[in-house]
């Protein structure tokens, strides 16, 4: 079956699972942050209207493509640097909610690892 033959729900589920699967190749601390973010974002957009849903799906599809390119054939150790710098023009188009969310993600990524709260990340 081609992707075009899938229902909307099946397409969303496929994209969701693809993002989580791609995160398996990330360093464990990035995987933990990425998985939490994907789950939260997909949960938040469950009841989005069709125009928002289309934008959401396109943005996450671009993310999945970008991560798969950055991961390389043998994971992040052989690939280019992970991530992409934001342009000032991009930030100018963000809503207040998006800027707040970006700051929260930045803060979470910069937190030191707490070995008691996250023992699986302690030796990373």
């Amino acid at each position: 079956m081609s992707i075009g033959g899938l229902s909307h729900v099946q397409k969303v589920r496929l994209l969701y699972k693809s993002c989580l699967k791609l995160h398996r190749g990330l360093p464990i601390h990035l995987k933990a942050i990425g998985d939490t973010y994907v789950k939260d974002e997909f949960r938040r957009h469950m009841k989005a209207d069709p125009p928002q849903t289309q934008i959401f799906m396109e943005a996450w599809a671009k993310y999945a493509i970008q991560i798969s390119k950055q991961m390389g054939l043998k994971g992040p150790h052989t690939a280019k640097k992970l991530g992409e710098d934001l342009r000032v023009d991009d930030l100018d188009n963000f809503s207040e909610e998006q800027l707040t969310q970006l700051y929260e993600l930045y803060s979470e990524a910069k937190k030191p690892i707490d070995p008691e709260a996250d023992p699986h990340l302690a030796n990373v």
Side-chain angles (χ1 to χ4, degrees):
M1 178 188 292
S2 72
I3 291 179
L6 298 176
S7 72
H8 171 71
V9 172
Q10 290 171 320
K11 288 178 186 176
V12 172
R13 188 172 292 131
L14 178 64
L15 182 57
Y16 174 79
K17 288 184 176 189
S18 295
C19 290
L20 293 176
K21 193 176 285 188
L22 285 165
H23 288 171
R24 292 179 190 168
L26 293 173
I28 194 160
H29 60 289
L30 292 178
K31 179 189 180 309
I33 292 169
D35 286 355
T36 301
Y37 189 72
V38 167
K39 291 173 185 177
D40 184 52
E41 280 296 293
F42 275 77
R43 195 175 304 118
R44 280 193 219 198
H45 286 83
M46 282 176 114
K47 304 222 188 269
D49 60 29
Q52 287 177 321
T53 301
Q54 182 175 352
I55 293 168
F56 177 83
M57 292 293 287
E58 288 173 4
W60 279 100
K62 286 179 186 175
Y63 167 80
I65 291 166
Q66 188 67 28
I67 288 291
S68 64
K69 286 180 182 176
Q70 291 177 359
M71 295 292 283
L73 294 175
K74 296 185 179 183
H77 303 294
T78 62
K80 305 176 204 169
K81 75 171 186 130
L82 293 173
E84 186 176 315
D85 294 334
L86 285 172
R87 299 185 327 254
V88 174
D89 294 345
D90 294 334
L91 292 174
D92 290 341
N93 294 323
F94 278 24
S95 68
E96 286 297 319
E97 181 183 359
Q98 289 171 319
L99 289 172
T100 301
Q101 204 172 5
L102 182 62
Y103 180 75
E104 289 171 0
L105 182 61
Y106 169 79
S107 297
E108 189 65 30
K110 291 294 183 182
K111 275 186 188 174
I113 294 170
D114 180 357
E116 290 185 21
D118 296 309
H120 59 287
L121 299 177
N123 296 325
V124 176

